[in-house]
């Protein structure tokens, strides 16, 4: 099956810093999603990005499908950005396969 | 527009008991998937329901079963609970047979004692 690897596993930042999270996947996919899991466990949809680049406020994401990776950029980080960020992929109509996540801690 | 809802929020059960978790998909969605998330891990796929049938199943024993109703809502049943079943159970819904973006509910946190 498809393997999903996320890096780094942990990231500690000061408020205002920028960061880049990476997701590598082992096979071609039809769907790639980035999620932020809040302290209560809710998975918040950040991006649905099988290819290309998208931006939403301080967050942006780029997926290069031909090279099988995706990047999530967080600029001017805030304490509320803390939590676990997951990348998940699937092929058409199948289950999402998640990476192990990147745990981000932003301190003021 | 209501998102994905799940009930109950929290549940405590004893080993050997049975449990039923419920999920209502986002409006307009027809596909429901269930995931188990152990502490410190990413969600693991249990199964997916579409048109009231189990379409795909992950590596989970037969103690895990489910159902989808005509209104697209779904149940997850777990029999003969083990301590290792303690986890956050997440429901996700998507449209067009699961082709598009998946949205997750808030989860049910199950504790087995």
């Amino acid at each position: 099956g498809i393997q999903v690897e996320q890096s780094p596993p942990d990231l500690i930042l000061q408020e205002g810093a920028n960061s880049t999270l990476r997701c590598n996947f082992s096979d071609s996919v039809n769907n790639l999603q980035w999620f932020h899991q809040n302290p209560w466990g809710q998975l918040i949809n950040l991006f649905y990005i099988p290819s290309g680049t998208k931006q939403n406020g301080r967050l942006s994401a780029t997926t290069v499908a031909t090279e099988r990776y995706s990047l999530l950029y967080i600029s001017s980080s805030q304490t509320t950005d803390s939590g676990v960020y997951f990348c998940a992929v699937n092929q058409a109509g199948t289950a999402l396969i998640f990476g192990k996540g990147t745990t981000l801690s932003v301190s003021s | 527009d209501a998102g994905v809802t799940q009930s109950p929020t929290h549940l405590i059960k004893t080993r050997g008991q049975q449990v039923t978790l419920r999920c209502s998909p986002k409006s307009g969605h027809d596909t429901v998937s269930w995931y188990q998330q152990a502490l410190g891990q990413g969600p693991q796929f249990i199964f997916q329901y579409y048109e009231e049938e189990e379409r795909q199943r992950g590596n989970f024993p037969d103690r895990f079963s489910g159902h989808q109703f005509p209104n697209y809502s779904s149940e997850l049943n777990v029999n003969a609970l083990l301590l290792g079943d303690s986890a956050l159970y997440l429901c996700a819904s998507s449209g067009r047979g699961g082709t598009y973006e998946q949205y997750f509910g808030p989860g049910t946190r199950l504790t087995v004692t």
Side-chain angles (χ1 to χ4, degrees), chain B:
Chain B
D1 176 24
V4 181
T5 61
Q6 291 186 244
S7 63
T9 305
H10 295 86
L11 204 51
I12 299 174
K13 290 286 189 178
T14 304
R15 275 180 299 177
Q17 286 188 317
Q18 178 264 345
V19 67
T20 296
L21 311 182
R22 296 176 175 82
C23 171
S24 290
K26 187 175 169 68
S27 177
H29 286 183
D30 59 9
T31 303
V32 173
S33 302
W34 287 92
Y35 296 79
Q36 180 196 66
Q37 186 177 20
L39 203 60
Q41 303 294 319
Q44 298 292 316
F45 173 70
I46 303 175
F47 43 54
Q48 183 183 81
Y49 277 86
Y50 173 64
E51 293 187 338
E52 301 180 50
E53 291 190 358
E54 183 182 292
R55 184 165 70 172
Q56 188 184 6
R57 188 177 183 93
N59 188 25
F60 279 80
D62 292 345
R63 298 187 298 109
F64 289 77
S65 63
H67 188 78
Q68 185 179 35
F69 299 94
N71 66 353
Y72 306 119
S73 67
S74 176
E75 288 182 350
L76 164 65
N77 301 293
V78 187
N79 295 322
L81 284 167
L82 304 174
L83 295 179
D85 294 331
S86 295
L88 179 67
Y89 288 85
L90 295 163
C91 168
S93 76
S94 54
R96 295 289 187 93
T99 305
Y100 298 137
E101 186 173 5
Q102 294 195 27
Y103 292 84
F104 283 79
T108 294
R109 194 166 297 278
L110 172 65
T111 302
V112 182
T113 62

Side-chain angles (χ1 to χ4, degrees), chain A residues 9 14-16 41 54 60 74 81 88 104:
Chain A
Q14 288 280 3
E15 206 168 22
K54 292 186 177 180
S60 64
I74 304 174
D81 294 332
L104 175 64

Side-chain angles (χ1 to χ4, degrees), chain A residues 2 4 25 27-33 48 50 88-98, chain B residues 33 35 48 55-56 94 97-102:
Chain A
I2 299 174
V4 180
F25 44 97
D27 202 352
S28 60
V29 298
N30 296 102
N31 174 21
L32 187 145
Q33 293 184 238
Y48 170 70
V89 303
N90 70 347
Q91 296 167 332
T94 62
L96 278 175
I97 300 169
F98 284 77
Chain B
S33 302
Y35 296 79
Q48 183 183 81
R55 184 165 70 172
Q56 188 184 6
S94 54
T99 305
Y100 298 137
E101 186 173 5
Q102 294 195 27

Side-chain angles (χ1 to χ4, degrees), chain A residues 20-103:
Chain A
T20 301
L21 283 59
R22 186 176 180 99
C23 172
N24 293 331
F25 44 97
S26 62
D27 202 352
S28 60
V29 298
N30 296 102
N31 174 21
L32 187 145
Q33 293 184 238
W34 282 98
F35 298 93
H36 176 212
Q37 189 164 41
N38 67 21
W40 299 272
Q42 173 88 55
L43 282 168
I44 309 297
N45 288 43
L46 296 177
F47 293 102
Y48 170 70
I49 186 165
S51 64
T53 297
K54 292 186 177 180
Q55 181 156 6
N56 184 4
R58 296 181 296 104
L59 273 60
S60 64
T62 295
T63 297
V64 184
T66 53
E67 298 187 20
R68 299 179 185 167
Y69 75 89
S70 183
L71 302 174
L72 176 68
Y73 305 96
I74 304 174
S75 64
S76 304
S77 57
Q78 301 175 357
T79 56
T80 52
D81 294 332
S82 296
V84 184
Y85 289 80
F86 286 105
C87 166
V89 303
N90 70 347
Q91 296 167 332
T94 62
L96 278 175
I97 300 169
F98 284 77
K100 293 185 176 181
T102 292
T103 299

